[in-house]
Amino acid sequence: MLKGNLKNNKAGILLYGLTPPKSEFDEQKLREISSRWTERINSVNADGLVLYEIQDESARMGERTFEFSDTLSPNNYYNDYLNVKTPSIFYNVANKYDEQKFREILAHQSANLSVFVGAASSKIEPKMSLNRAYEIARDEFKNLCVGGICIAERHAKKGDEEQRMAHKVSLGAKFFISQAVFDLPLAKELLNAVARANLNVPIIFTFTTCGTPKTLEFIKWLGINVPQNVEERLLKSSDILAESSKICVENFAQLYLLGQNLGVSVGANIESVMAKRAEIEASLSLVKEFRGVL
């Protein structure tokens, strides 16, 4: 159903995103983490999962706030550790693989939904271009429904994000998932540009909880723009986590309404960027709150 809804340009799709655990963990710890996440996922009733494949972005943004650690592959985590029926979208970092390895990954991938991600920095020499990844999927994996990334902050700087998206659509992209949104005006600008370009695909905006000043620092390090008034609202609040959730709901409501007015299908991907229990629980609660917006 998720694949059909994405391909049919359905509005109001609600996803839940998470990063697989660190691959360095021993088997017992991996099983414990996965058991907790299985229970959470089965209780939240999202339309689908987003399982990220991460890359070290320090070349793009400098020294990390938290040390980078490699994680299990989305396919491995979904098949071997999670026990859920919720369909999943797997992120694939295309530049990490040569063409042969990339074909092997797609051939053995259990999900028929993917998002292809390019290199985090121009300083990184990719083993395969993002364009080539889309071409391989389009020409050789007909059952695979592929999406792309869209970034409102990049559109604000370069003013051509809708052109990048249109190019990906020409290569077969059927939907887009954004970087996390805290800057509502930037997200609205991107949505207006998408409408002007007549891109008839779902735009899934990502929203993340923020429970501490340290989490806020990490969010900003990731390249997510947090306007000064929003930062002040969070830091002056007696409950940063509750305030961040309130901001997420407000922003989604406005983007969903704008999408309806523009004729663009808007959905949401909800996540917690930190493995903190309170922030995770708040992000899970947002799925229900977002349903109230629809």
Side-chain angles (χ1 to χ4, degrees), residues 102-104 106-107 136-145:
F102 191 67
R103 286 186 177 94
E104 291 175 6
L106 296 185
I136 290 171
R138 179 193 64 197
D139 298 339
E140 303 177 32
F141 295 88
K142 305 294 186 181
N143 193 45
L144 186 64
C145 179

Side-chain angles (χ1 to χ4, degrees), residues 47-88:
D47 297 322
L49 298 179
V50 177
L51 292 180
Y52 302 117
E53 181 177 39
I54 63 172
Q55 56 183 314
D56 187 353
E57 297 186 290
S58 57
R60 177 168 68 96
M61 293 174 289
E63 185 178 353
R64 290 178 60 92
T65 306
F66 298 94
E67 184 179 353
F68 173 79
S69 295
D70 208 359
T71 60
L72 294 178
S73 75
N75 190 64
N76 186 12
Y77 188 45
Y78 188 79
N79 283 330
D80 299 339
Y81 292 93
L82 294 178
N83 183 21
V84 298
K85 294 183 179 179
T86 308
S88 185

Side-chain angles (χ1 to χ4, degrees), residues 99 102-103 128-137 139-140:
E99 291 189 19
F102 191 67
R103 286 186 177 94
M128 178 181 59
S129 72
L130 188 57
N131 281 357
R132 184 59 183 145
Y134 278 107
E135 289 169 354
I136 290 171
D139 298 339
E140 303 177 32

